[in-house]
Amino acid sequence: GSGLATAALGNGLCLAVLIYVTAGISGGHLNPVVTTAMFMTKRIGKRRLFVYLAAQVLGAITGAVFLRLTLPPPFLDTPFVTRGSLTAAHPVQVLLLEFICTFVLVYTVFATVCDETGKAKNAAPLLIGLSVTVGIFAEGPFTGGSMNPARSFGAAMAFLNFDHLLIYILATFLGGVLAGMCYDNLFLEPQTEEDPGRYDEPDQA
């Protein structure tokens, strides 16, 4: 292993860069729980929800497969599926940790992107990336630090190893959707079809 700091900073900064380069195209979601939270708070419509989810999952699988193909065999002895020291023996604790860290991530997205009174503008991607960095520092050794169901699913598909995957999918979706709905109901104006909000207009459905 190259260390927790490398994993935390590498993942966080990579996410920030990817958000910067995709924000103008799609809003820079890159995470199914962010997209689902945007849908649940009426910031995107059904058609865009399904297109984004499909792209995120397909991208995660493709990236994981390419990574597996490019690594030499000795590096594949330990599959890079989402797993930490608590995963096998303490699934409830893993669920809680992933729930909390994903909640913080999506809460940060809504606070820096969706809230007109507190928008971080060009700094938003960096702050979102830092929230992932903090999450990996906090939970990485114990859970593997997912906070993104596509990341966990893509690696599971690449290695055909689906052990404990359901915990990560459930925890991240619950934490992310709850964060978005809490911030939306507590701090933001209700969204309507006439007032679609930051990301895009709701699809006609």
Side-chain angles (χ1 to χ4, degrees):
S2 56
L4 178 61
T6 300
L9 292 171
N11 279 277
L13 291 175
C14 181
L15 176 62
V17 171
L18 290 175
I19 295 174
Y20 273 118
V21 300
T22 60
I25 301 170
S26 63
H29 293 193
L30 303 175
N31 187 331
V33 300
V34 173
T35 298
T36 304
M38 293 294 171
F39 172 74
M40 295 297 292
T41 56
K42 299 181 180 179
R43 283 173 168 76
I44 61 172
K46 290 181 182 179
R47 181 176 59 84
R48 199 161 298 229
L49 168 72
F50 292 123
V51 170
Y52 281 16
L53 291 180
Q56 290 156 359
V57 172
L58 182 60
I61 295 172
T62 303
V65 169
F66 272 115
L67 181 58
R68 179 174 183 176
L69 292 174
T70 57
L71 291 175
F75 287 86
L76 301 178
D77 292 340
T78 303
F80 50 89
V81 294
T82 311
R83 182 176 298 162
S85 61
L86 300 181
T87 300
H90 303 282
V92 174
Q93 284 74 16
V94 170
L95 188 147
L96 290 174
L97 285 169
E98 284 290 338
F99 176 93
I100 292 168
C101 290
T102 309
F103 186 101
V104 172
L105 167 60
V106 177
Y107 191 94
T108 303
V109 172
F110 273 72
T112 59
V113 174
C114 299
D115 192 340
E116 294 290 341
T117 63
K119 274 187 177 179
K121 297 184 178 178
N122 288 337
L126 181 59
L127 295 174
I128 295 166
L130 286 175
S131 72
V132 169
T133 295
V134 171
I136 293 175
F137 271 122
E139 68 164 347
F142 310 112
T143 72
S146 175
M147 293 169 278
N148 184 332
R151 176 261 181 269
S152 296
F153 185 75
M157 287 291 293
F159 283 90
L160 298 178
N161 184 340
F162 302 96
D163 294 344
H164 316 294
L165 178 63
L166 184 59
I167 298 171
Y168 291 94
I169 292 177
L170 182 63
T172 52
F173 270 107
L174 287 176
V177 171
L178 183 61
M181 295 186 72
C182 283
Y183 199 98
D184 184 71
N185 284 286
L186 291 173
F187 304 116
L188 302 179
E189 294 293 328
Q191 296 292 305
T192 66
E193 290 189 359
E194 291 75 27
D195 179 25
R198 156 68 176 82
Y199 274 81
D200 46 44
E201 296 183 359
D203 306 312
Q204 299 300 316

